[in-house]
């Protein structure tokens, strides 16, 4: 960032303002331009930041802070994205050579600021291009949009959400139908869509794009179909009776849909964290609306203590992630949140048993997880004679695993119903988890007992994660380069037996900026830059002879990994 904005930045800002349909962001730019022209250095720096680059469209679509400018989420940027995506969809339909109805795009949105506005802009622009467009009937969870793409046979889907990002962010996820099966986009499609978006930005003004009100409002039957399909994931058994549990929607859109599914599946309603039940894009009770973050579930813990609950279930704001907590007298506050790996392995065990008992699926069925998630899932798959796939991070990859019946990633994402939703789905995962709890209660057991049974059956797996936040992104590049140039022979006291650089791809994995180290004693360390934050992440996995042994091993490995990073930084 430079100290002041030159005439180019001011000219870009004026051009952007002149095509902006939003009074608020136009006023932002007017103020910044006026102040920058008066040599206000803070305003000049802000303009430079907003226009020095463009918010990148990639395999996660768009995501960023709300505000005016090419490096922010706003109506101009979203309109350009809609026109670019629409052009890509039309070109694909024309290339297929099939005459008939215009391609269909279905659009969903959540409760974040401007989500409904961005959805409406997208619908009007795509309808103006001659596409059929259907907007979901109201703000709904991301999994309902992913379901709708498949259910309606849509050519593409858009979900306006920033998931669990900070309150002032928003985003634009893209799904594709047809051969893509309703999964999120992957390369090279992302680059092709990005090229169309750039063409629109370079050659067309947003205020001159044709618009049309000839879009449709999808019927309630789409939501009803999702509710029915998800209720079938795990209908309540006798053990569900009397279950006392707590649910939080984290100020998101999960509760309305989940409540219908609970009624259809026969589960008792939870005690709600009332302060967090209604959608509220300000997220007033949490600093960061992500159930993984410290403090985010404090109100749920408080509610559970008062209610004498057996279980806490949480969704993130767009309800595509699931968090679970259990009573634990040894934990601070009396509650312990399960890790994403613990939940993922339990749900994987459930799926594996079902697949193994399905004569029609047999060994063609597979379990899948991201390569940074627990290796315990492969052990489960092999135990039941199922195939297994490790993929790059993200459900855009996991959902494409051949024969998939279940997939997960350690960041609280679970795909339990791939026949209907090809993405992580925190609502169907909650129903599957409640099914496990109900079955255990029917046998006089708790979810904690099921966790112990898993360990005794498959081994004592333990995981940890080290996240190093940086101010300068070149620090991450320097650490990755140092590890590639001189791979360590050991991490702490544990010898490194094999080093893999995935930048050129390994086996069936496409290229990725990932390093994988296989260690003695069945341990593993994976190093990768975060895809969404200025962080370097290290994922640590061990397998011990007991819970205590696994915990000690992973603690020692974490200490060795931190020492290695300090050594590299000191060079």
């Amino acid at each position: 960032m430079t100290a002041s904005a030159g005439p180019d930045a001011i000219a870009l800002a004026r051009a952007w303002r002149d095509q902006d349909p939003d009074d608020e962001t136009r006023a932002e730019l007017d103020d910044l331009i006026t102040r920058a022209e008066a040599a206000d250095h803070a305003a000049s720096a802000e303009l430079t930041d907003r226009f020095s680059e463009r918010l990148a469209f990639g395999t996660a679509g768009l995501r960023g802070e709300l505000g005016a400018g090419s490096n922010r989420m706003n109506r101009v940027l979203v309109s350009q994205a809609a026109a670019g995506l629409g052009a890509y969809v039309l070109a694909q339909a024309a290339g297929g050579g099939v005459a008939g109805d215009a391609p269909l795009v279905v659009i969903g949105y959540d409760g974040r600021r401007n989500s409904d506005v961005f959805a409406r802009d997208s619908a009007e622009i795509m309808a103006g291009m001659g596409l059929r467009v259907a907007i979901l009937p109201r703000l709904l969870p991301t999994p309902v949009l992913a379901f709708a793409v498949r259910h309606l046979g849509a050519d593409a889907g858009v979900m306006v959400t920033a998931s669990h990002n900070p309150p002032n962010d928003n985003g634009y996820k893209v799904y594709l139908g047809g051969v893509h099966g309703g999964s999120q986009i992957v390369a090279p499609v992302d680059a092709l869509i990005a090229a169309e978006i750039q063409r629109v930005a370079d050659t067309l003004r947003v205020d001159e794009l044709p618009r049309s009100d000839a879009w449709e409002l999808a019927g309630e039957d789409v939501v009803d179909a999702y509710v029915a399909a998800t209720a079938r994931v795990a209908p309540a058994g006798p053990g569900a009776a009397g279950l006392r549990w707590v649910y939080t929607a984290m100020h998101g859109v999960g509760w309305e849909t989940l409540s219908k599914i609970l009624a259809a599946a026969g589960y008792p309603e939870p005690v709600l964290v009332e302060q967090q039940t209604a959608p509220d894009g300000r997220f007033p009770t949490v600093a960061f609306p992500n159930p993984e973050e410290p403090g985010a579930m404090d109100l749920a813990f408080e509610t559970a203590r008062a209610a004498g609950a057996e279980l806490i279930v949480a969704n993130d704001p767009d309800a595509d992630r699931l968090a679970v907590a259990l009573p634990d007298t040894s934990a601070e506050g009396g509650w312990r949140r399960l890790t994403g790996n613990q939940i993922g392995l339990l749900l994987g065990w459930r799926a594996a048993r079902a697949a193994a008992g399905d004569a029609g699926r047999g060994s063609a069925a597979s379990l899948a997880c991201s390569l940074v998630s627990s290796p315990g899932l492969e052990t489960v798959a092999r135990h039941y004679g199922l195939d297994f796939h490790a993929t790059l991070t993200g459900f855009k990859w996991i959902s494409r695993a051949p024969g998939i019946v279940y997939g997960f990633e350690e960041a609280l994402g679970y795909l339990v119903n791939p026949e209907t939703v090809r993405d992580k789905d925190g609502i169907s995962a909650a129903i599957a988890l409640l099914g496990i709890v109900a079955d255990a209660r029917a046998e006089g057991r708790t979810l904690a007992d099921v966790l112990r049974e898993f360990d005794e059956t498959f081994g004592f797996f333990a995981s940890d994660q080290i996240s190093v936040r940086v101010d300068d992104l070149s620090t991450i590049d320097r650490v990755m380069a140092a590890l590639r140039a001189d791979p360590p022979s050991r991490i702490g006291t544990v010898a490194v037996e094999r080093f893999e650089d995935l930048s050129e791809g390994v086996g069936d994995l496409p290229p990725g900026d990932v390093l994988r180290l296989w260690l003695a004693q069945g341990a593993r360390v994976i190093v990768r830059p975060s895809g969404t934050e200025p962080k370097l992440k290290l994922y640590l996995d061990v397998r011990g002879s007991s819970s205590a042994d696994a915990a000690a091993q992973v603690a020692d490995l974490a200490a060795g990994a931190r020492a290695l990073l300090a050594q590299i930084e000191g060079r």
Side-chain angles (χ1 to χ4, degrees), residues 468-479 534-536 569:
V468 182
R469 182 176 289 275
V470 300
D471 295 323
D472 183 356
L473 289 175
S474 67
T475 301
I476 293 176
D477 295 335
R478 187 169 65 252
V479 173
K535 289 181 178 179
L536 181 70
E569 280 296 281

Side-chain angles (χ1 to χ4, degrees), residues 337-364:
R337 188 177 64 78
L338 300 185
T339 68
N341 279 325
Q342 287 175 310
I343 300 167
L345 292 177
L346 286 188
L347 292 173
W349 186 16
R350 171 187 177 275
R353 285 197 300 261
D358 184 349
R361 296 300 295 259
S363 60

Side-chain angles (χ1 to χ4, degrees), residues 208-242:
E208 295 174 350
L209 292 172
R211 289 179 176 246
S212 172
D213 290 330
W215 50 269
E216 311 161 22
L217 195 65
E220 280 295 323
D221 56 309
V222 176
V223 182
D224 293 343
Y226 174 81
V227 167
T230 307
R232 289 192 295 270
V233 167

Side-chain angles (χ1 to χ4, degrees), residues 489-501:
S489 59
R490 61 181 56 251
I491 297 180
T493 61
V494 187
V496 176
E497 297 181 339
R498 189 165 89 252
F499 175 87
E500 292 177 328
D501 181 353

